[in-house]
């Protein structure tokens, strides 16, 4: 493979992520901010010329600050506004803090427990991603550095209303978070009306993988709805998520009163986008319904 | 600027398009198919490793065969299925043939006149893009090599039901196709209930430009609705179009009978996607409504 970080023509520094099944996406880099080797991964943070800061784990793009709202608002507000009264939430992963930042906007929230395996991600976010790391010290937040799979396995049955899996992709070390045993634990840990939301893959370049995971969830949850968000930093620019539900349907209409304050502050989410996110292009719909 | 076409590490050939305000998108190239210098532009066609064929004009990506359906189906089916009875259609640009291919699926069509300025684009498509160049010889098609601006200026008032502007971006030689005098000619050339659909820009990286053009159209047409399509080959992966209408509203509901055969064949378009395409992320909606 070509190196991710290199000197281009005219001496410009460039970072490129090559998707194994698709294109490369490149950013012009102003400077490297930090490089940390942890027991779990290599973390790099760059200042880009046009897209704010770029967070990379093991060469894979996690986020840019220019477009991360499209990721964090969708993984949080879609399930939170679908659930009638979400009080207890578990976040697996999410060390950059963006998911917590969006969670604490919801007044029904009583507890957001986040289990992130790599404390160094949290440290880097606190130090260098001020726009994301806003809620680690919020009184409703319980931040645990530990194993998310184990945390879900050991949770009291029915103890969470919403579980969010905000991890790396289902190709590397995060693979167990996309497997049946984990999904069975999630189902058990969720209360009645409980919901799981998870980031999965590109609906274009990784459609086969996306369909496999949606089908796996359909074997366990009575209602599974794939949805997407427009995230320019990720391959294809449209990223697939899954919402797996014990009951509530995200397409059954939203409560205006709960939506309005979220919509007022949001950079990406609004009620039209919420509904539109569940419309999939024909090629993806055919595979998902096959 | 870095060159677009170069040898990467391990001797791999790579084509990169650098967006002036955003990222670079790169394809691994198997081979260059053709390189033509015309009086209007330089045309390059490549065979990529993962995305089929890649058509480039003056270094700017026009399409890949892997995802062009998301462009051509949306620029055609959205206005055609919004209009109650589209019979006469004018296409400005569209030399690759994809727009004509989609137009002739509509049984109400009587005439599709295409005015493409560069005959070499049509020749390259006929020779190397068999999946797109399917309708140049269709009995309802009248292909004219000439100036689209002039063709619209000289059209009989009220002589077209739908006008599609399928050109390059509003930054280079296509600029007149995005200016007020042209839009006034389009308005005059359109019959009652007439519609214009036009590709414009990324709703993420080029939002200011997109908003400027939508506002310009709003000064001339009573109803203008911005919409997007998921096109991985274009910067940000979500591309903004504009629908400008003398009356029919794309959100007012579609006729099932006319939609079903289109939906059956389409790779991208379906009725849910049609509606969802008009939902814009909050940051874009705010600018468009300001």
């Amino acid at each position: 493979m070509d190196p991710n970080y290199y000197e281009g023509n005219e001496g410009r520094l460039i970072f490129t992520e090559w998707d194994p099944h698709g294109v490369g996406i490149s950013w012009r880099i102003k400077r490297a901010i930090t490089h940390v080797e942890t027991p779990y991964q290599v973390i790099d943070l760059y200042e880009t010329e046009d897209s704010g800061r770029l967070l990379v784990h093991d060469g894979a793009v996690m986020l840019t600050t220019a477009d991360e709202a499209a990721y964090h608002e969708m993984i949080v507000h879609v399930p939170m506004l679908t659930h009638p009264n979400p009080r207890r939430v578990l976040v697996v992963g999410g060390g950059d803090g963006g998911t917590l930042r969006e969670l604490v906007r919801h007044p029904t929230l009583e507890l957001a427990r986040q289990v992130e395996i790599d404390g160094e991600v949290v440290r880097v976010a606190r130090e260098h991603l001020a726009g994301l790391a806003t809620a680690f010290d919020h009184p409703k937040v319980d931040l645990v550095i530990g194993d998310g799979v184990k945390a879900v396995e050991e949770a009291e049955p029915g103890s969470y209303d919403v579980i969010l899996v905000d991890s790396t992709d289902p190709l590397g070390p995060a693979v167990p978070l996309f497997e049946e045993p984990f999904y069975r634990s999630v189902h058990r840990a969720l209360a009645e009306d409980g919901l799981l939301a998870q980031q999965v893959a590109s609906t274009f370049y990784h459609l086969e993988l996306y369909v496999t995971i949606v089908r796996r969830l359909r074997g366990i949850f009575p209602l599974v709805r794939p949805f997407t968000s427009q995230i320019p930093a990720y391959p294809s620019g449209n990223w697939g998520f899954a919402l797996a539900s014990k009951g509530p349907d995200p397409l059954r209409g939203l409560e205006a009163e709960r939506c309005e304050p979220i919509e007022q502050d949001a950079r990406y989410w609004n009620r039209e986008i919420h509904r539109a996110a569940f419309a999939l292009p024909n090629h993806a719909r055919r595979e998902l319904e096959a």
Side-chain angles (χ1 to χ4, degrees), chain A:
Chain A
M1 287 297 286
D2 298 290
N4 290 116
Y5 183 63
Y6 58 99
E7 200 176 302
N9 281 34
E10 305 180 10
R12 275 201 320 214
L13 295 175
I14 290 167
F15 174 89
T16 299
E17 180 184 41
W18 275 102
D19 184 84
H21 306 288
V23 302
I25 306 186
S26 305
W27 286 264
R28 292 177 278 252
I29 301 298
K30 273 190 197 155
R31 65 187 175 100
I33 296 170
T34 191
H35 171 90
V36 192
E37 301 186 18
T38 83
Y40 300 100
Q41 56 207 337
V42 179
I43 304 170
D44 284 291
L45 188 71
Y46 302 105
E47 185 77 46
T48 71
E49 281 186 22
D50 306 294
S51 303
R53 295 189 167 186
L54 169 66
L55 178 66
V56 175
H57 292 180
D58 288 339
V61 169
M62 293 295 108
L63 61 85
T64 79
T65 52
D67 65 350
E68 53 84 15
Y71 177 96
H72 292 115
E73 293 181 8
M74 291 301 275
I75 201 172
V76 170
H77 301 324
V78 169
M80 289 296 277
L81 292 166
T82 297
H83 193 285
N85 182 28
R87 293 174 297 123
R88 294 173 58 87
V89 178
L90 177 66
V91 181
V92 175
D96 56 60
T99 293
L100 285 181
R101 179 193 65 202
E102 297 305 322
L103 270 175
V104 301
R105 296 188 200 277
H106 290 266
T108 59
L109 185 75
E110 291 171 8
L111 169 73
R113 177 166 292 137
Q114 169 157 348
V115 185
E116 162 63 53
I117 204 162
D118 191 347
E120 282 298 287
V121 180
V122 176
R123 192 189 59 75
V124 167
R126 281 188 190 268
E127 207 170 317
H128 302 291
L129 295 169
L132 284 99
T134 60
F136 288 126
D137 303 316
H138 192 281
K140 292 178 180 176
V141 167
D142 175 28
L143 174 63
V144 180
I145 303 305
D147 180 347
V149 174
K150 232 169 109 184
V152 176
E153 268 170 15
E154 292 170 0
E156 286 290 306
S159 56
Y160 292 104
D161 299 310
V162 172
I163 295 179
L164 305 177
V165 183
D166 177 8
S167 72
T168 52
D169 292 349
L171 297 161
V175 164
L177 297 172
F178 298 86
E179 288 181 338
E180 222 182 282
F182 178 69
Y183 290 150
R184 292 205 181 281
S185 305
V186 168
H187 189 275
R188 193 172 46 237
L190 283 171
E192 208 185 336
D193 282 347
L195 293 159
L196 160 71
Q198 182 172 32
Q199 78 87 9
V200 184
S202 163
T203 54
F204 188 79
Y205 292 122
H206 320 135
L207 183 58
E208 209 183 308
L209 176 65
Y210 186 54
V211 170
T212 300
I213 285 163
V214 169
R215 282 201 191 128
R216 199 170 288 162
L217 284 164
R218 283 187 172 147
I220 293 163
F221 286 84
L223 179 72
V224 178
R225 292 216 186 268
F227 69 100
T228 67
S229 181
Q230 302 171 13
I231 307 174
Y234 291 174
S236 85
N238 280 277
W239 204 250
F241 293 76
L243 189 84
S245 172
K246 286 189 159 182
D249 185 345
L251 296 178
R252 221 182 273 151
L254 295 164
E255 288 170 67
E257 224 171 277
R258 288 174 62 206
C259 292
E260 276 156 17
I262 301 288
E263 192 166 311
Q264 204 143 28
D265 291 340
R267 282 180 278 165
Y268 185 84
W269 188 91
N270 59 48
R271 279 164 280 185
E272 285 174 33
I273 279 286
H274 177 103
R275 174 163 278 275
F278 294 89
L280 287 148
N282 243 11
H283 70 95
R285 200 168 78 170
R286 277 192 197 111
E287 295 299 318
L288 284 159
E289 287 171 4

